[in-house]
Amino acid sequence: MRATSTGQRLDITRAPLAERSTLAEDVRDGLTRPFKELVPKHLYDARGCELFDEICTLEEYYPTRTERAILTAAAADISDRTGAIELVELGAGSASKTRVLLDAIDADGRLERYVPFDIAEAVVRPTALAILGEYPELGQVHGVVGDFISDLDLIPEPATAAPRILALLGSTIGNFVGVERAALLSGITSLLRPQDRLLLGTDLVKDPAVLEAAYNDRRGVTAAFNLNLLEVINRELDGDLPVENFEHVARFESDLDWVEMRLRARAPCQARIGALNLEVDFVAGEEMRTEISAKFTPARIEDNLAAAGLEIERIYTDAGDLFALTLARPAA
Ligand SMILES: C[S@@+](CC[C@H](N)C(=O)[O-])C[C@H]1O[C@@H](n2cnc3c(N)ncnc32)[C@H](O)[C@@H]1O
């Protein structure tokens, strides 16, 4: 079942809330493990989305401005090479960088449809409306509220036989590891026709000091983003997790090539998650993982894509090799 509201130029499709919101089961599973862990998609309630947008403007958070600069340099080439008339963006958020690509496709006179897809209901409609307003010649914006792990089938069929781009920017792919990452990439491959392309943004392995600074900003915005996850649980699941007893931790795990965000209990505490009838204990100093942000090398990008049946057409990077934007196609 899906819900669609149809306007002339605006469509919004929502996966049913009961299927999309796995918060209860994820919290029960994650808080009853010996090493507690929460699922990062739950960081993005309305407040989490606002905080993420603020993170993107921080001096320490180089990925957004670097990816934007790469896109700015590459957008005309991407539009030219792909001949795309349509852009589907997974984890679109507020689509701030996406405009660069939409501008290039628009300048080529081909912009027909934009599909922002995100788990966060709070961002999909405003993003869709903003893009509609900014691109009067755009035929349609079709927003999808869903989980790109389970709801890719909600993406509308391509409008015509003309090519489309599926974009996954912001190194969102780095929030997934192992079989989950493989499943997400394979799911994307299954949506690509021979003429379509994936545009994948990946943060690259670099000096750990630069990586750790990006997740430990001086203004504490990333800390607020991380701690907001406890507010989400308290609000949505009738919990009483003592937010002030937790502190933000972010470390680069050099043996795994990823940054882990955790929440650490300053002192022992107990909490009750009413909706789950669950009591949870934390010992002093106990850490709970809230997000993995994996970093990539060109070889790892190629391997991951190849395992999903994709091959690289072109990799665009910045002069400092901080970030990569990869255009990939279904393997011959
Ligand atoms: C790291 S942010 C990137 C946002 C934007 N693409 C950018 O590059 O700045 C990740 C985005 O993906 C969304 N997201 C996270 N997990 C998701 C999931 N499982 N399904 C759909 N969207 C998800 C979040 O709500 C958020 O908007």
Side-chain angles (χ1 to χ4, degrees):
M1 270 291 287
R2 60 182 227 179
T4 304
S5 67
T6 310
Q8 262 202 318
R9 294 175 63 221
L10 173 67
D11 263 318
I12 304 280
T13 300
R14 291 179 183 78
L17 188 60
E19 287 171 26
R20 180 181 0 128
S21 174
T22 55
L23 183 67
E25 60 209 68
D26 292 341
V27 169
R28 182 183 295 286
D29 175 48
L31 293 190
T32 53
R33 293 184 187 184
F35 170 45
K36 299 184 180 65
E37 179 165 21
L38 294 167
V39 177
K41 70 176 179 180
H42 302 303
L43 289 159
Y44 296 92
D45 69 337
R47 177 78 186 129
C49 290
E50 277 171 23
L51 287 165
F52 181 75
D53 280 347
E54 203 177 333
I55 288 171
C56 291
T57 67
L58 295 168
E59 195 191 324
E60 295 95 332
Y61 198 72
Y62 63 85
T64 305
R65 64 172 174 275
T66 311
E67 190 179 32
R68 184 192 306 280
I70 298 170
L71 252 183
T72 302
D77 185 53
I78 294 169
S79 175
D80 236 35
R81 257 171 204 283
T82 61
I85 64 160
E86 180 175 342
L87 177 62
V88 177
E89 185 175 14
L90 303 177
S94 56
S96 71
K97 288 164 288 183
T98 316
R99 270 91 166 169
V100 177
L101 192 51
L102 292 175
D103 285 346
I105 300 173
D106 196 20
D108 288 340
R110 281 189 266 99
L111 187 57
E112 294 202 359
R113 181 159 70 172
Y114 174 54
V115 181
F117 184 120
D118 207 287
I119 192 81
E121 178 134 34
V123 290
V124 173
R125 194 176 178 86
T127 298
L129 285 171
I131 298 281
L132 269 180
E134 288 167 42
Y135 295 87
E137 52 301 315
L138 183 57
Q140 193 194 30
V141 176
H142 188 139
V144 182
V145 182
D147 187 329
F148 51 51
I149 296 295
S150 51
D151 299 322
L152 287 180
D153 59 322
L154 296 184
I155 294 173
E157 290 292 314
T160 68
R164 73 176 179 181
I165 297 172
L166 266 92
L168 181 57
L169 304 179
S171 209
T172 302
I173 190 70
N175 297 149
F176 299 88
V177 295
V179 290
E180 262 205 318
R181 186 188 300 161
L184 175 54
L185 288 173
S186 296
I188 291 172
T189 306
S190 68
L191 292 170
L192 297 177
R193 302 163 300 171
Q195 66 270 38
D196 298 332
R197 297 289 179 268
L198 166 65
L199 186 64
L200 182 68
T202 46
D203 196 10
L204 298 177
V205 174
K206 60 184 64 65
D207 179 354
V210 175
L211 286 168
E212 292 192 344
Y215 294 82
N216 288 290
D217 64 278
R218 280 159 293 177
R219 281 180 42 215
V221 184
T222 314
F225 174 69
N226 195 6
L227 286 160
N228 180 56
L229 185 48
L230 302 181
E231 307 275 11
V232 170
I233 297 171
N234 285 346
R235 184 185 65 233
E236 300 294 328
L237 299 176
D238 185 23
D240 62 3
L241 287 154
V243 181
E244 63 297 338
N245 189 43
F246 286 88
E247 61 191 347
H248 165 74
V249 178
R251 272 193 300 266
F252 180 59
E253 305 287 344
S254 53
D255 48 338
L256 298 164
D257 272 353
W258 69 48
V259 172
E260 265 191 43
M261 284 208 315
R262 297 181 177 194
L263 289 170
R264 182 196 291 139
R266 298 175 201 268
C269 65
Q270 266 201 335
R272 181 175 159 71
I273 315 295
L276 304 180
N277 202 15
L278 179 71
E279 309 280 344
V280 202
D281 290 311
F282 291 86
V283 298
E286 181 172 348
E287 292 183 3
M288 160 170 73
R289 184 158 68 192
T290 51
E291 186 187 87
I292 287 172
S293 205
K295 306 305 163 190
F296 292 79
T297 58
R300 192 168 300 150
I301 297 167
E302 191 174 358
D303 280 359
N304 286 187
L305 291 174
L310 295 166
E311 62 188 20
I312 293 176
E313 181 167 328
R314 186 126 192 227
I315 297 198
Y316 308 89
T317 52
D318 54 292
D321 278 336
L322 299 176
F323 202 93
L325 202 55
T326 302
L327 193 64
R329 61 187 165 219

